[in-house]
Amino acid sequence: MPDTEIIVCTTCRPPGASRELPAHGLALFEAVQEALLVCELDTGQHKGLQLRGQACMSGCSRACTVTLQAQGKFSYYFGDLVPDAETAAQVLACAQLHRHSADGNLARNTRPERLRAGILARLPPVGLGST
């Protein structure tokens, strides 16, 4: 089973947010990083997940943004996320659903609450023929 990569935009800011303050995206990245570390130390539950910060994923009007991707699976791009510990926990839960899905499909009703709305894109795996 391929690892699922969680990519968090580290430069996301809600419209009108001051550039003098730390980016909301960086706060979300740090929250996900902390949640991943805590879970690994406590339970080992999130093995198979990789986390990466990425400066600007072009979702500026829908900050904060996160992508889930894995080789041979559909990729998901979420926006309008709150940069807090609860969102971080739900991102990890959703990433585990993605990891355990054979094709990466994430039905709306199975995703954690904060990742049911705000979907910006669902991209097919590279090389998948059209149907």
Side-chain angles (χ1 to χ4, degrees):
M1 171 178 326
D3 286 356
T4 288
E5 184 176 36
I6 305 162
I7 305 170
V8 180
C9 179
T10 57
T11 56
C12 275
R13 297 173 195 278
S18 170
R19 295 233 171 247
E20 303 300 316
L21 299 174
H24 288 77
L26 182 58
L28 181 57
F29 173 79
E30 290 171 349
V32 173
Q33 188 174 45
E34 178 68 21
L36 190 60
L37 179 63
V38 167
C39 286
E40 282 298 315
L41 292 175
D42 289 349
T43 64
Q45 152 184 0
H46 291 300
K47 291 196 183 308
L49 301 181
Q50 302 296 320
L51 176 63
R52 173 168 49 121
Q54 175 67 47
C56 194
M57 295 197 311
S58 295
C60 302
S61 65
R62 304 285 300 272
C64 294
T65 62
V66 169
T67 296
L68 302 177
Q69 65 182 14
Q71 183 69 36
K73 295 185 177 188
F74 281 90
S75 296
Y76 283 80
Y77 184 37
F78 299 96
D80 301 321
L81 298 174
V82 177
D84 65 9
E86 180 59 30
T87 298
Q90 290 189 25
V91 165
L92 293 182
C94 195
Q96 278 296 357
L97 291 173
H98 186 267
R99 181 172 179 263
H100 291 287
S101 169
D103 60 3
N105 269 314
L106 299 171
R108 184 182 189 281
N109 64 342
T110 65
R111 295 191 309 257
E113 182 181 349
R114 292 189 181 182
L115 289 110
R116 289 185 185 160
I119 195 162
L120 304 179
R122 177 178 163 266
L123 304 170
V126 172
L128 182 67
S130 62
T131 57

